[in-house]
Amino acid sequence: AYYTYFNRDWWRQSSTSTQRPNDRSDPACGSMANLNTTCGNEGRLRQYWTAGLEPRVTVEHGLLGLDNTTEAGLRYHQEDQYRIQANGDGPRSRNPGTGRNAGIREDSDREVTAISGFVQNRFDFGRWSVTPGLRYEDVDYERIDNLLGTRGKTSITQWIPGVGATLEAVPGTVVFAGAHRGFAPPGVADIVSATGGSVDLDAELSWNYELGLRSTPVDGISLEAALFRMDFENQIVPASVAGGVGATLTSAGETLQQGMELSGQIEGNAFVDWPVEPFARLSYTWLADAEYVGQRFSNVPGFGTERVTGNRLPYAPEHLLSGTVGIRTGFGLELQMDGFYTSEAYTDDLNTVDI
């Protein structure tokens, strides 16, 4: 069982160029000159509740004369967001104002109830094993706008199959492979409009494949390499492509993403006898392909007739690199330094600027 509660009261003056302090529809807030005087602010006041139950059971048995391990589980998950946008009259206001663009601008509830269940069985053949599995997801959405007096509901259900296999090629080295259905449901605001209507937006679906190798060649060193391929039949992206505040989502249709991942970790206490334990991690992802493969036209305003099939997806860099070095002490303190590198990426589906 789990439960979380999070409260965030965030007051700010501007989030996009059409909002304060650049909102010329309000004479008291027409330019940056009014920033610290008559220009009001916005309070994005949020409360989030999350709760759920997730019982699981594991049974070992001898079906078909093999060593089997069956796992099954259920999950009940509940989320509730309570959202207020209160515009104040001054730059340091903490209450709704009475000015032209002040007052309560949003008062809404967004609720999600998700019920899921899974079962999988590991067939052990000695050096190799096969694990098929099946999961079911049922997600119910509700959005209530207390200002408009509207309420909307919708739901999504999905069966999610998958299968994985491992082979111990040599002691300390395992080859693994898998094929799994990918499923990512949209958020409440993406599938239910503020007026209570349902948005024509399906869940994000894909078939994901991997083939890789995990190895511990010597004590203290672990290595992993994997090839991956993700065939999306309905990838979800921002409708404006560049996204940003208030961007809605749309189905990008069929896309392909494939490449390679490499990672390694060193535990220094396997090689040196120090009073602290040094360690290091390094990972690299090469996203060789990330492209529209179905018939697709641009979402950039004014370019709706431009065909973008074969173009690279926005915000999909080809290279990602991260590294960590650190030490662990004997009294519970761990210190580490991280570094990250992300290569260039397009910000629109037209691939306007060469990278």
Side-chain angles (χ1 to χ4, degrees):
Y2 55 90
Y3 171 82
T4 62
Y5 170 74
F6 176 66
N7 182 83
R8 189 202 76 187
D9 289 352
W10 183 17
W11 291 86
R12 63 190 185 189
Q13 282 197 288
S14 183
S15 57
T16 71
S17 59
T18 59
Q19 292 180 282
R20 303 175 178 201
N22 305 303
D23 187 353
R24 296 186 182 276
S25 67
D26 185 350
C29 189
S31 69
M32 294 294 290
N34 307 128
L35 184 62
N36 292 318
T37 55
T38 58
C39 188
N41 59 6
E42 301 176 356
R44 303 299 179 95
L45 316 179
R46 308 285 189 259
Q47 295 183 73
Y48 302 90
W49 293 266
T50 303
L53 294 170
E54 190 172 1
R56 296 191 176 200
V57 62
T58 301
V59 178
E60 296 181 353
H61 55 92
L63 180 66
L64 304 177
L66 301 171
D67 290 333
N68 290 258
T69 303
T70 299
E71 294 182 64
L74 298 171
R75 184 181 66 177
Y76 174 84
H77 179 81
Q78 178 76 42
E79 293 182 7
D80 186 13
Q81 303 177 39
Y82 182 52
R83 303 165 61 92
I84 292 285
Q85 179 179 332
N87 289 3
D89 285 329
R92 295 174 179 83
S93 296
R94 290 298 180 267
N95 293 293
T98 58
R100 180 167 184 162
N101 292 322
I104 300 297
R105 297 290 164 167
E106 179 187 2
D107 182 348
S108 67
D109 284 282
R110 301 176 183 181
E111 300 179 3
V112 176
T113 301
I115 299 175
S116 62
F118 81 93
V119 61
Q120 67 179 34
N121 190 81
R122 174 186 170 95
F123 298 93
D124 195 335
F125 298 90
R127 291 175 52 204
W128 62 285
S129 67
V130 177
T131 307
L134 183 64
R135 186 178 187 89
Y136 176 75
E137 294 277 357
D138 184 322
V139 186
D140 295 321
Y141 301 88
E142 183 172 12
R143 182 175 181 177
I144 304 168
D145 192 306
N146 298 307
L147 294 180
L148 299 176
T150 57
R151 179 188 299 261
K153 296 182 179 181
T154 192
S155 62
I156 288 178
T157 60
Q158 184 68 41
W159 289 98
I160 310 169
V163 61
T166 63
L167 169 65
E168 186 180 19
V170 295
T173 299
V174 174
V175 179
F176 62 89
H180 298 85
R181 184 66 156 160
F183 168 73
V188 179
D190 304 319
I191 198 171
V192 182
S193 68
T195 58
S198 295
V199 179
D200 186 16
L201 184 68
D202 294 328
E204 186 173 81
L205 296 172
S206 64
W207 282 105
N208 307 322
Y209 310 94
E210 63 176 352
L211 175 63
L213 184 77
R214 296 189 189 97
S215 181
T216 305
V218 296
D219 288 342
I221 296 180
S222 58
L223 303 171
E224 182 171 328
L227 300 173
F228 65 88
R229 179 185 176 102
M230 297 181 290
D231 284 313
F232 287 89
E233 58 194 68
N234 184 46
Q235 186 169 13
I236 306 301
V237 299
S240 65
V241 183
V245 175
T248 57
L249 300 180
T250 186
S251 298
E254 297 179 43
T255 67
L256 169 66
Q257 299 180 49
Q258 61 185 5
M260 177 178 62
E261 293 181 330
L262 302 172
S263 65
Q265 180 165 329
I266 297 177
E267 295 292 340
N269 60 339
F271 305 96
V272 295
D273 186 15
W274 290 355
V276 295
E277 300 177 8
F279 64 90
R281 295 188 293 268
L282 185 67
S283 63
Y284 167 70
T285 299
W286 174 40
L287 186 57
D289 299 300
E291 61 187 25
Y292 297 97
V293 296
Q295 184 76 354
R296 189 69 185 179
F297 294 89
S298 178
N299 277 311
V300 177
F303 294 87
T305 61
E306 291 286 333
R307 189 168 177 267
V308 296
T309 302
N311 284 10
R312 194 169 182 92
L313 296 170
Y315 307 110
E318 184 175 356
H319 304 285
L320 295 169
L321 180 67
S322 66
T324 299
V325 293
I327 57 172
R328 300 187 191 95
T329 66
F331 48 87
L333 176 65
E334 180 176 308
L335 302 174
Q336 68 179 49
M337 180 172 62
D338 302 312
F340 303 90
Y341 169 76
T342 301
S343 65
E344 295 177 305
Y346 293 110
T347 58
D348 62 52
D349 57 8
L350 293 170
N351 295 176
T352 306
V353 179
D354 290 334
I355 61 173

